[in-house]
């Protein structure tokens, strides 16, 4: 496994693979890898000849009051996990490599980025789209793998690739959870023992909503209220949003039909966590 720090070095490696007719799978990450990331790498390993993982804490997608500086980092640990899965190349650039002096070009989108996380993180998805498109242009992958936990990001990237005619197939992979139901996240490391227990309210509240829908409930307002009421039983939890939206357009819906995303963002103490489930029909 190689670790590359520059755009030129990555391109050199990938060009050699493509000369040999090899397919390339790509998993973009911000590092501090966990079982959720491992599942994406395993999917990429199974379906491609070569696998590239990027490890880059992207400053462009963090707001001025967010956790850019404190975001957990551990390249040694990440490298061992990647090597264990069979990753061929890690791309680990510095911010200056991705955004050299004078950088002034961005990728933005109307519609899909305004709801859910876009309400409280208005610059977030512009940063996500810009870095993902840059990474696609650098790695030129045949396939790229994203987790469903960041469902809005998955929808945004899928749409961006379609709209901009990017020759990469996007694969959404299931949420990986702890045994007690908490969705795996690098930010879980911020939680104290008491907060870690309180964070279970996210998956528990979604189970309440999912059960209602499985029982035949189609009124989005009823489902949102049930989820919100469950979250309100946890004193350490503070709701950012509880929403039911069309998964393909990320627009609010009143009646649950078609592909539906039920998504929540909740502060446990100072830590903002997200979770969701998707109903495909």
């Amino acid at each position: 496994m190689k670790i590359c720090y520059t755009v030129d070095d990555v391109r050199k490696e990938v060009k050699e693979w493509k000369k040999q007719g090899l397919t390339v799978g790509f998993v973009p990450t911000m590092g501090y890898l966990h079982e959720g990331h491992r599942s994406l790498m395993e999917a990429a390993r199974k379906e491609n000849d070569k696998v590239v993982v990027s490890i880059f804490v992207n400053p462009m997608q963090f707001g001025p009051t967010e956790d850019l500086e404190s975001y957990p980092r551990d390249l040694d640990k990440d490298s061992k996990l990647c090597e264990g899965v069979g990753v061929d190349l890690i791309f680990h650039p510095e911010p200056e490599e991705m955004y050299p002096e004078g950088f002034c070009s961005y990728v933005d989108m109307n519609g899909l980025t305004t709801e859910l996380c876009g309400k409280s993180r208005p610059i977030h998805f512009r940063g996500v789209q810009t870095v993902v498109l840059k990474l696609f242009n650098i790695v030129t992958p045949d396939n790229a793998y994203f987790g469903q936990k960041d469902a809005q990001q998955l929808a945004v990237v899928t749409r961006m690739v379609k709209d901009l005619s990017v020759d990469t197939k996007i694969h959404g992979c299931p949420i990986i959870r702890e045994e007690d139901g908490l969705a795996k996240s690098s930010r879980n490391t911020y939680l104290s023992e008491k907060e870690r227990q309180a964070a279970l309210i996210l998956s528990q509240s979604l189970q309440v909503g999912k059960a209602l829908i499985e029982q035949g409930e189609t009124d989005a307002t009823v489902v949102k209220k049930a989820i919100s009421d469950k979250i309100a039983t946890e004193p350490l939890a503070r709701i950012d949003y509880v929403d039911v939206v069309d998964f393909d357009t990320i627009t609010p819906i009143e009646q649950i039909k078609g592909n539906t995303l039920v998504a929540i963002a909740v502060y446990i103490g100072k830590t903002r966590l997200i979770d969701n489930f998707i109903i495909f029909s």
Side-chain angles (χ1 to χ4, degrees), residues 256-272:
I256 295 170
K257 59 182 178 180
N259 296 335
T260 301
L261 169 64
V262 180
I264 61 176
V266 178
Y267 285 93
I268 304 294
K270 294 182 179 180
T271 304
R272 184 179 181 276

Side-chain angles (χ1 to χ4, degrees), residues 65-254:
T65 63
E66 294 180 345
D67 56 340
L68 174 61
E69 297 305 321
S70 62
Y71 195 87
R73 296 162 169 85
D74 191 337
L75 182 60
D76 288 341
K77 176 173 168 287
D78 291 347
S79 299
K80 290 175 183 175
L81 190 153
C82 289
E83 195 160 24
V85 176
V87 169
D88 298 283
L89 187 153
I90 292 174
F91 179 37
H92 181 54
E94 292 295 323
E96 294 77 18
E97 179 71 11
M98 294 296 284
Y99 305 119
E101 185 176 354
F103 186 91
C104 59
S105 301
Y106 304 91
V107 183
D108 214 340
M109 180 182 293
N110 293 323
L112 275 73
T113 60
T114 56
E115 298 294 330
L116 306 182
C117 290
K119 288 182 179 179
S120 58
R121 306 184 73 189
I123 68 167
H124 175 70
F125 287 110
R126 185 177 81 160
V128 169
Q129 291 171 86
T130 301
V131 77
V132 169
L133 187 59
K134 279 183 65 73
L135 289 167
F136 284 174
N137 285 335
I138 294 163
V139 178
T140 61
D142 299 280
N143 300 286
Y145 299 80
F146 293 81
Q148 183 191 306
K149 184 176 73 69
D150 296 298
Q152 187 174 14
Q153 173 179 275
L154 173 60
V156 166
V157 171
T158 300
R159 186 74 211 190
M160 178 188 75
V161 163
K162 179 181 179 181
D163 286 354
L164 301 184
S165 304
V166 179
D167 191 18
T168 297
K169 184 177 180 180
I170 305 301
H171 300 259
C173 299
I175 297 172
I176 303 299
R177 299 183 181 276
E178 305 282 0
E179 288 186 9
D180 58 11
L182 182 65
K184 295 268 189 180
S185 171
S186 301
R187 289 187 169 98
N188 290 347
T189 58
Y190 297 160
L191 301 171
S192 68
E193 187 175 339
K194 188 175 181 182
E195 289 170 339
R196 170 65 179 75
Q197 188 63 32
L200 297 180
I201 199 67
L202 278 83
S203 58
Q204 291 169 359
S205 68
L206 287 175
Q207 285 300 321
V208 170
K210 194 171 188 179
L212 273 176
I213 295 171
E214 289 172 348
Q215 292 162 18
E217 183 60 66
T218 60
D219 189 326
T221 300
V222 172
V223 173
K224 288 192 289 184
K225 185 178 186 305
I227 294 171
S228 298
D229 288 348
K230 179 66 175 178
I231 295 170
T233 65
E234 172 50 61
L236 294 181
R238 177 170 59 89
I239 293 172
D240 182 3
Y241 65 76
V242 173
D243 274 320
V244 179
V245 301
D246 180 287
F247 177 65
D248 300 306
T249 62
I250 313 295
T251 54
I253 56 177
E254 295 180 358

